[in-house]
Amino acid sequence: MTQTTPPSGPTGRHTAPVRQNAPGRPDTPVRQDTPVRQDAPVRPDAPIRQDAPVRPDLPPGGPCSPVAPWRALAIVLAGAFMAVLDTFIVLVAAPAIQADLHSSAADVQLILAGYQLSYALALITGARLGDRFGRKRLFMTGMALFTLSSVGCALAPGSGSLIAARLVQGLGAAAMFPQVFAVIQVLIPAARRPKAFGVLGAVIGMATMSGQLVGGLLIAADLFGTTWRPVFWVNVPVGLLTLLLAGRFVPESRAPEARRLDLPGAVVLTVALSLLVVPLVEGRAYGWPLWAWLGLAASVPAFAAFGLVERRVDAGGGSPLVRLRLLRERPFAVGMTLVVLTYAGINSLFLVLSLTLQDGLGMDALGAGLVYTPFAVAFFAASLLAGRLARFGRRVLLLGALTGALGFVGTITLTLNAGATLTAWELVPTLLLVGAGNGLLVTPLLNAVLGTIRPAEVGMASGVLSTGQQIGGAVGVALVGILYYGALGDAAHHDTGAYGHALAVALFLNVALAAAISALLPFLPDAATRRG
């Protein structure tokens, strides 16, 4: 029940107490001298907090009253964890999948990249569908699709069926992930959002690291003689439990101005992103053939065409997939550039480090996963700390970029000096610095990008942000692959000196990215960072 008082008085106070002997029962007598609104009855199991006003973009009197927002956030974060985890857990399982299904190298590339491709292509559309049809509904639809496709992956009899199931799995992840950003913006009070983004950053970091460790554990366990299949079966109980909890505890919300989906914009954007992302993800594996370069070149006019379509939809009074003025706003434009650069560095590091640990130093999947554990702990701790340091604004971001750069420089120095005597555990101290730096950078950066977005555009902005993360990761992997494999040459497996040298050369890209991030940070308005 929502209580009202005169405008000059504090909200939420009674002039007389309501009888408490039968809370929520329709036949409970109420003192007549207590002004009570009759349009929003109390839910018996959900007392309304008086210190958190209902957001104007939520349905009045509906289940989106700010009831237990942190519980709702924890539930949708489970979906974010699974979406990120499945990007990395299959990297560890790839050799076992190839051996069991007799897959070709091209098949393995599609098994790995198919998920990332469909995930990246559908993110903005998934976010806008959440605005229109409800963020809870889209989250649950995505989770159901993700869980069912995980069953399809686990039961796949051959490479073709596994690739198809992975494509569907990516679509499910794209429906889930943008809703997490929307839930933070809609349910969490502004003063508490830095903490929420800190938790989100920690979850992303833990999912990234856990993919290596959990995948290694499951492959090593060889449960029931099924080798790689448990890396997909593990999604099923988690997905079912998350669906159950989301249906019970996550409130529904929609954007107040959401209209029907911009289908022409969605089609043109999908074409443009495909022309950009497919060559970046697949080009190196195929030796950068002509079609990859033609695709990259064609993406430029395709994005220009998308801009024209969106401008026409907006001018006609429609609801474009992306409002171009959003990209012209300085906090968002600078922040998106920083997000692309940051994720280019993160994903490229994971690729070259995994290759060095397993192919160069001869570690198995489980051992390589254990090396990532200190990195994960540092990332997790720094992400939570960054939420508490939000009042320092850009300085936290700069500290993160510089700390990460110091870790990269330390790793380069260490690997070049160690040569053929390099061991995995010698990398731990510098990886701790890299993990802490990324934790301090990623978390407040997400808050800075979304901190000034209007509630009606939070779904659109979260979809653009998530797509930027994927594009940044794809660009980073493509660039670092050129450096790493170019330096590695024809070195044999377990040639520690050659792989260490290739790692050092590749990490110069990460140093350059950290320098670019540090140079761009002064152009990010500090108010955007502090807004949360």
Side-chain angles (χ1 to χ4, degrees):
M1 183 180 300
T2 303
Q3 293 84 21
T4 60
T5 58
S8 58
T11 60
R13 292 185 180 177
H14 299 282
T15 57
V18 178
R19 283 181 55 189
Q20 302 298 325
N21 58 332
R25 288 178 48 192
D27 57 344
T28 301
V30 179
R31 288 277 301 272
Q32 296 305 312
D33 57 344
T34 304
V36 178
R37 283 176 50 190
Q38 301 301 323
D39 58 349
V42 168
R43 287 176 51 190
D45 59 338
I48 294 180
R49 285 173 46 193
Q50 300 301 326
D51 59 342
V54 176
R55 290 282 301 257
D57 57 321
L58 303 182
C64 278
S65 299
V67 178
W70 292 98
R71 179 173 61 189
L73 177 60
I75 294 168
V76 297
L77 283 175
F81 183 90
M82 292 171 66
V84 176
L85 180 76
D86 264 56
T87 302
F88 295 95
I89 196 170
V90 181
L91 288 172
V92 178
I97 292 173
Q98 184 171 19
D100 183 46
L101 299 182
H102 307 289
S103 306
S104 66
D107 289 337
V108 172
Q109 287 294 321
L110 286 174
I111 290 167
L112 295 174
Y115 174 83
Q116 185 181 356
L117 290 172
S118 60
Y119 184 17
L121 296 177
L123 276 166
I124 294 180
T125 302
R128 294 307 307 277
L129 289 173
D131 283 350
R132 176 171 170 78
F133 295 106
R135 288 136 185 169
K136 172 182 177 177
R137 179 179 296 178
L138 256 291
F139 176 82
M140 294 185 67
T141 300
M143 178 60 76
L145 192 62
F146 186 92
T147 304
L148 286 173
S149 58
S150 295
V151 174
C153 291
L155 296 175
S159 299
S161 56
L162 181 55
I163 291 168
R166 286 283 283 172
L167 290 170
V168 176
Q169 196 180 38
L171 295 177
M176 286 193 298
F177 196 82
Q179 315 314 324
V180 179
F181 293 103
V183 165
I184 291 177
Q185 291 294 102
V186 169
L187 289 186
I188 305 298
R192 308 291 287 173
R193 283 182 207 144
K195 179 181 179 181
F197 278 107
V199 175
L200 172 60
V203 166
I204 292 173
M206 290 300 294
T208 302
M209 301 305 112
S210 298
Q212 311 287 333
L213 182 58
V214 173
L217 285 170
L218 292 174
I219 296 296
D222 192 18
L223 298 174
F224 309 108
T226 54
T227 61
W228 55 272
R229 297 181 188 272
V231 304
F232 296 111
W233 280 122
V234 72
N235 294 332
V236 177
V238 178
L240 293 176
L241 178 61
T242 303
L243 279 171
L244 179 65
L245 294 175
R248 178 69 180 85
F249 295 116
V250 175
E252 184 62 280
S253 68
R254 295 177 177 83
E257 301 173 10
R259 303 175 187 175
R260 65 186 181 86
L261 184 65
D262 171 21
L263 290 178
V267 171
V268 177
L269 180 62
T270 299
V271 172
L273 286 172
S274 298
L275 291 170
L276 175 65
V277 176
V278 172
L280 288 174
V281 172
E282 295 290 293
R284 185 199 58 78
Y286 290 96
W288 294 105
L290 179 61
W291 65 261
W293 296 109
L294 292 176
L296 290 172
S299 69
V300 176
F303 278 110
F306 173 70
L308 292 175
V309 170
E310 296 305 273
R311 190 174 291 112
R312 182 175 300 175
V313 172
D314 202 9
S319 180
L321 202 64
V322 177
R323 294 191 188 278
L324 299 183
R325 61 177 172 79
L326 182 68
L327 300 176
R328 292 194 294 267
E329 294 178 5
R330 178 178 163 186
F332 191 81
V334 175
M336 277 298 303
T337 303
L338 289 167
V339 166
V340 170
L341 294 175
T342 298
Y343 277 83
I346 291 174
N347 285 29
S348 62
L349 169 66
F350 294 148
L351 172 64
V352 296
L353 188 57
S354 295
L355 290 171
T356 302
L357 292 174
Q358 296 187 59
D359 293 346
L361 303 184
M363 303 185 74
D364 59 17
L366 178 57
L370 290 172
V371 174
Y372 278 103
T373 303
F375 181 105
V377 172
F379 190 106
F380 183 84
S383 295
L384 297 180
L385 179 63
R388 298 180 179 273
L389 298 177
R391 63 185 181 276
F392 295 107
R394 276 195 311 249
R395 285 172 287 182
V396 179
L397 295 168
L398 182 59
L399 177 62
L402 294 177
T403 302
L406 181 62
F408 290 127
V409 171
T411 305
I412 292 170
T413 304
L414 175 67
T415 53
L416 291 178
N417 288 336
T421 64
L422 178 69
T423 64
W425 298 106
E426 290 180 279
L427 299 173
V428 168
T430 55
L431 288 178
L432 282 171
L433 286 175
V434 174
N438 281 326
L440 291 173
L441 176 62
V442 172
T443 297
L445 183 57
L446 296 174
N447 189 40
V449 176
L450 291 177
T452 56
I453 300 301
R454 296 191 311 118
E457 295 180 343
V458 66
M460 177 193 305
S462 63
V464 175
L465 174 65
S466 301
T467 304
Q469 292 173 315
Q470 294 300 311
I471 291 175
V475 170
V477 167
L479 292 177
V480 85
I482 295 172
L483 294 174
Y484 187 81
Y485 286 104
L488 190 61
D490 297 325
H493 275 204
H494 304 169
D495 184 341
T496 302
Y499 275 86
H501 174 72
L503 175 64
V505 171
L507 291 184
F508 276 106
L509 171 65
N510 297 83
V511 175
L513 290 171
I517 290 167
S518 301
L520 276 175
L521 280 174
F523 298 97
L524 180 69
D526 210 35
T529 308
R530 296 185 183 195
R531 183 74 175 258

